[in-house]
Amino acid sequence: MKRWPKIASIVVAGAMVVGSSGITWYALSAPPVQHLELAQDLIAATTAEGTRIILRTSAKIDYQQLVPELVPQSRRAFCGVASSVAVINAALQPLPRLTQETLFTSAAAAVRSELAVSFRGLTLEQLARIIRAHGLEVRMTHAAQSNLDSFRALARDALAEPQVFLIVNYDRATLGQKGPGHISPVGAYDVETDRLLVLDVAGYKYPYTWVPAPKLWSAMNTTDSDSGKTRGYLLVSAGTARR
């Protein structure tokens, strides 16, 4: 009978190893293709209505600059990584182009390592610091520090100006989507419908989406459990980064 405690400990240790291996695989593997449906008040950019909006709006300079640089996030927690790479490449036009692997220079990894991001993602502040580490100027705003009207005005101006980019950190559930907090760049703003075009870097899951400005603001005005602060947005431009 004395051997049962030893067997039990071996079983527990084995289960822990298997569980740890499963978590590691989940964090480091490519996300599966799902193509989930959007909530009724969201408009996919690929629909006839979504196409009409993008054709008529003037505040779409970022859409034209970012789309050639966008690739889907390569890991489940890499939304901030994919967003950063697209914006840095669009702003600086480096050769060779930055990738989701080469983003983690020594300066960027000092903010948060590739492995840590794979398991836990990025807070708004960490995202800002990683982009700054690549030589861009970043203005960070938590939703609690601002309001919808200010955000709408800033977005309208930024998206009509070259080399100025907007990245949003928002709660998917508030948009009627599956998943926790998410990060993606914004490509355009349409005054007539008061919608912003979120260039979702999880393209395997959701398309580029026109989101009503009040709804996107509500999704940003939620608390990130990792930072204990509200989510928000970054305004990114070429120039000397603020350290």
Side-chain angles (χ1 to χ4, degrees):
M1 296 296 293
K2 291 183 179 180
R3 69 176 184 172
W4 285 110
K6 183 180 293 186
I7 293 173
S9 65
I10 292 173
V11 170
V12 170
M16 291 177 65
V17 170
V18 171
S20 176
S21 299
I23 292 171
T24 300
W25 172 85
Y26 184 86
L28 302 182
S29 63
V33 176
Q34 296 176 284
H35 296 316
L36 303 177
E37 291 187 10
L38 293 174
Q40 289 186 350
D41 58 346
L42 304 183
I43 302 171
T46 52
T47 63
E49 185 178 4
T51 301
R52 281 195 297 271
I53 297 173
I54 194 66
L55 288 175
R56 73 164 177 244
T57 186
S58 59
K60 59 182 176 186
I61 299 290
D62 285 12
Y63 175 79
Q64 297 163 341
Q65 293 180 311
L66 285 170
V67 167
E69 308 294 348
L70 281 164
V71 294
Q73 61 192 79
S74 58
R75 298 178 187 174
R76 289 170 174 82
F78 265 27
C79 54
V81 174
S83 298
S84 298
V85 167
V87 166
I88 294 168
N89 283 338
L92 300 179
Q93 297 291 307
L95 292 175
R97 285 290 193 266
L98 207 63
T99 68
Q100 293 178 57
E101 291 72 36
T102 61
L103 175 73
F104 292 94
T105 60
S106 57
V111 176
R112 195 162 175 82
S113 71
E114 179 180 353
L115 190 61
V117 176
S118 297
F119 281 93
R120 297 288 298 179
L122 291 165
T123 65
L124 190 66
E125 182 177 359
Q126 290 165 344
L127 178 68
R129 291 173 60 195
I130 282 179
I131 296 174
R132 286 176 185 147
H134 284 270
L136 292 174
E137 183 173 313
V138 183
R139 172 181 160 190
M140 177 179 65
T141 303
H142 290 280
Q145 302 171 326
S146 187
N147 56 60
L148 172 58
D149 289 338
S150 296
F151 170 67
R152 182 189 284 117
L154 177 143
R156 183 185 61 238
D157 293 343
L159 297 168
E161 185 176 348
Q163 301 303 308
V164 179
F165 302 94
L166 179 64
I167 299 176
V168 290
N169 176 204
Y170 59 95
D171 173 52
R172 277 205 185 277
T174 305
L175 300 187
Q177 298 180 338
K178 291 184 179 180
H182 190 57
I183 296 167
S184 283
V186 176
Y189 172 71
D190 180 57
V191 176
E192 187 173 327
T193 60
D194 192 25
R195 288 176 180 268
L196 292 132
L197 180 59
V198 176
L199 303 176
D200 199 327
V201 293
Y204 55 88
K205 190 173 184 178
Y206 290 108
Y208 299 161
T209 304
W210 285 105
V211 182
K215 191 160 189 174
L216 182 58
W217 177 258
S218 295
M220 290 191 292
N221 196 20
T222 54
T223 301
D224 178 357
S225 59
D226 284 341
S227 68
K229 299 178 181 179
T230 53
R231 297 179 173 86
Y233 58 90
L234 304 181
L235 192 66
V236 182
S237 59
T240 303
R242 297 171 187 156
R243 301 292 179 180

